Amino acid sequence: MAKAKRTIKQAAPVHKNEVITASVTDLTYQGLGVAKVDGFPLFVTDALPGEKAEILVTKVLKNYGFARVQRLLEKSADRVELTDQLALTTGIAPLANLAYPAQLAWKKSQVQELFKKARLDVEVADTIGMADPIHYRNKAQVPARMINGRLETGFFRRGSHKLIPTDSFYIQDPAVDEAIRVTRDVLQEFGISAYDEEEDRGVIRHVMARIGKATGELMVVLVTKTKKLPEAEAIAAELRARLPKLESVIQNVNKAQTNVIMGYQNQVLWGKPAIEDILLGKKYLIGPNSFYQVNPETTAKLYQLAKEKAELKKIDIVIDAYCGIGTIALTVANDVAEVYGVELVEAAINDAEENARINQVTNSHFVAADAPSQMLKWAEEGLKADVVFVDPPRKGLTADFIEAVSEISPKRLVYVSCNPATMVRDIKDLVDHSYALEGAIQPVDQFPQTTHVEAVAVLTK
């Protein structure tokens, strides 16, 4: 009987706390530099491709390790010198040390590489970016913790639950930063406690602020563990006095022991239950739980691009799958005969119907249902759409959804993706269902200073 081959376990060529000199060759999807020692990858904080550095090994696992820069020996021409390293240490803006043109080029290359690995021969256009790629977010959800006996707000250090207090979040609208800062100060003055997840006690879990970029309307949401918020009326009054653009103060109750930020129970402490914003000429009501894109400037570019690529006609029947609060559906409604939207979250569909009403759109039809199931139902009912827009979650499309698309048989399918990896997989499946890519894949930088990239593709029957 033959002897089984013995696997000889190879020790990693580096060890913790070792300082080595290494060249950085790539960036990970988390924005960490990649250096290799005898083929063993080290992921290095604040290191860019083309740089050479002395690095301190901080953690060694079986197949890879982590390190941080001790001393840069050769700097990249694309390096941005940061006065505040917080954006990197918290992961708020993991590409903040990379010049913006280089960020756009890197995101294009990521999309190109995914299609290349899938053996799909496509053109990828240059990434559409922003003139001002900082302070763009219209929403922040900031955790609260007790530090030295008082409530503080900030962000967690990368890979931990240790809160780093901060007044500035780098990529958020200044009015949102101010709202978070003022709310923290008011809660401190009233002696309100932050929630302790280990002890399962305390009041404030998160502070959320969101602003209508076009209207300037501001909302503050206090996410509480408890149903009762001490001094609620006085807190709301103090916030009103200090935030002139404030239109809404909401208490959101989340009693569950979970890492999900928002609960489903909302109480208006003062003002309106929702604020308003304008996107591509349409008004949208945004409540505390509403899904609304956090970068409306590039969202407008993204949706305008999707609309143009759809080549819509006045006689067209259109489906907006994963429609959320109806932003794509209502953007195209005036250019088509009928538009159908489907979204699993019933509250989002309620928002979509209300948004259709306030914009006097009468040719839209919204359904609260699982998108793949509803697509199959529409196919069985004989609905034939001319154009289908899909803007799915990060997991992409299901096999059932793609089968339903094949049954409904639209002439054009416009795919808006927040995860190019699943987009590539889905496009391969759609090609197998008699669809062909038309034109270039268009990356859009919806989240500057981060590693995320959106992309738009068009497929024709």
Side-chain angles (χ1 to χ4, degrees):
M1 187 174 178
K3 291 183 179 180
K5 289 184 179 179
R6 297 176 65 185
T7 302
I8 300 173
K9 186 177 178 182
Q10 298 254 333
V14 297
H15 56 80
K16 187 177 178 180
N17 295 328
E18 182 180 2
V19 176
I20 59 175
T21 299
S23 296
V24 181
T25 58
D26 202 356
L27 275 178
T28 71
Y29 72 95
Q30 294 174 315
L32 299 172
V34 181
K36 290 188 177 179
V37 178
D38 296 335
F40 184 81
L42 289 170
F43 302 130
V44 189
T45 303
D46 194 15
L48 300 175
E51 294 188 329
K52 190 174 183 180
E54 287 182 357
I55 59 176
L56 172 68
V57 180
T58 55
K59 190 173 185 179
V60 178
L61 301 175
K62 182 179 178 182
N63 298 315
Y64 58 91
F66 294 90
R68 67 170 181 262
V69 174
Q70 290 282 82
R71 185 164 68 99
L72 274 176
L73 303 175
E74 296 176 13
K75 289 186 181 181
S76 166
D78 293 321
R79 172 170 286 278
V80 174
E81 298 299 339
L82 297 172
T83 55
D84 184 358
Q85 291 289 314
L86 188 65
L88 297 180
T89 56
T90 61
I92 295 171
L95 295 185
N97 58 349
L98 184 63
Y100 192 56
Q103 291 185 33
L104 298 179
W106 180 77
K107 291 184 180 189
K108 175 183 177 178
S109 72
Q110 295 302 293
V111 178
Q112 286 175 318
E113 191 61 28
L114 288 167
F115 278 97
K116 184 179 176 181
K117 284 181 179 177
R119 294 185 172 85
L120 287 171
D121 184 18
V122 302
E123 179 189 351
V124 179
D126 291 342
T127 309
I128 294 173
M130 300 182 70
D132 180 12
I134 300 173
H135 300 136
Y136 58 86
R137 286 184 62 97
N138 61 9
K139 172 186 171 185
Q141 298 176 119
V142 180
R145 289 288 186 273
M146 296 300 288
I147 297 177
N148 297 327
R150 70 176 189 171
L151 180 147
E152 296 283 1
T153 53
F155 269 126
F156 297 126
R157 184 179 293 278
R158 269 188 180 185
S160 80
H161 263 209
K162 181 180 179 181
L163 188 88
I164 302 175
T166 181
D167 281 340
S168 174
F169 299 91
Y170 193 72
I171 56 175
Q172 290 170 188
D173 186 293
V176 171
D177 274 357
E178 182 190 19
I180 297 292
R181 184 170 59 249
V182 166
T183 303
R184 176 207 61 197
D185 291 348
V186 169
L187 292 172
Q188 287 177 353
E189 289 163 19
F190 280 93
I192 308 300
S193 64
Y195 175 60
D196 184 320
E197 59 186 353
E198 292 183 4
E199 299 288 334
D200 192 29
R201 67 181 183 186
V203 179
I204 303 293
R205 301 177 72 131
H206 284 78
V207 175
M208 185 178 91
R210 61 194 319 172
I211 189 169
K213 283 274 197 175
T215 63
E217 293 187 2
L218 185 66
M219 169 184 283
V220 169
V221 181
L222 302 171
V223 184
T224 64
K225 167 69 176 179
T226 55
K227 188 173 181 180
K228 179 177 172 57
L229 172 62
E231 305 284 356
E233 287 187 15
I235 288 170
E238 198 60 38
L239 291 175
R240 288 162 55 195
R242 299 190 197 184
L243 296 169
K245 295 292 184 75
L246 190 64
E247 294 285 343
S248 175
V249 182
I250 306 283
Q251 180 190 358
N252 174 271
V253 180
N254 183 0
K255 295 182 178 181
Q257 285 186 277
T258 174
N259 59 3
V260 175
I261 293 174
M262 302 284 287
Y264 295 103
Q265 182 183 345
N266 294 305
Q267 180 182 350
V268 178
L269 301 181
W270 174 82
K272 304 187 295 188
I275 58 173
E276 189 175 283
D277 200 14
I278 300 170
L279 182 67
L280 291 172
K282 293 288 195 305
K283 296 177 182 178
Y284 293 95
L285 291 177
I286 309 159
N289 298 87
S290 296
F291 174 78
Y292 186 70
Q293 294 279 9
V294 299
N295 187 346
E297 181 182 326
T298 50
T299 298
K301 295 178 184 177
L302 190 68
Y303 289 175
Q304 186 62 38
L305 181 70
K307 180 178 172 180
E308 290 169 2
K309 286 182 176 292
E311 297 182 1
L312 299 170
K313 302 179 183 67
K314 275 289 186 181
I315 58 172
D316 282 347
I317 305 297
V318 171
I319 291 174
D320 176 11
Y322 306 97
C323 68
I325 64 172
T327 42
I328 291 179
L330 297 180
T331 293
V332 305
N334 294 351
D335 300 280
V336 301
E338 303 286 334
V339 60
Y340 295 80
V342 57
E343 168 64 50
L344 182 62
V345 180
E346 189 170 351
I349 289 298
N350 293 338
D351 287 345
E353 290 173 339
E354 179 63 13
N355 289 328
R357 187 192 65 78
I358 65 175
N359 286 289
Q360 300 179 332
V361 173
T362 58
N363 63 338
S364 60
H365 316 275
F366 294 104
V367 179
D370 174 63
S373 300
Q374 185 61 38
M375 289 287 286
L376 286 169
K377 184 179 179 182
W378 277 331
E380 290 165 2
E381 292 171 352
L383 178 65
K384 293 292 183 183
D386 299 286
V387 177
V388 170
F389 291 92
V390 291
D391 187 1
R394 291 190 62 79
K395 64 183 179 180
L397 305 177
T398 65
D400 286 349
F401 188 99
I402 292 173
E403 287 294 335
V405 166
S406 186
E407 290 294 319
I408 289 174
S409 195
K411 301 184 191 80
R412 301 177 78 77
L413 185 143
V414 181
Y415 194 138
V416 180
S417 172
C418 62
N419 183 358
T422 52
M423 178 195 225
V424 170
R425 178 203 67 199
D426 295 341
I427 285 175
K428 288 189 74 173
D429 287 346
L430 287 161
V431 168
D432 290 340
H433 284 76
S434 303
Y435 281 86
L437 270 169
E438 180 180 281
I441 307 296
Q442 179 62 69
V444 179
D445 193 18
Q446 183 81 330
F447 305 99
Q449 316 305 326
T450 81
T451 56
H452 299 293
V453 60
E454 305 253 332
V456 182
V458 178
L459 295 104
T460 55
K461 191 74 174 176

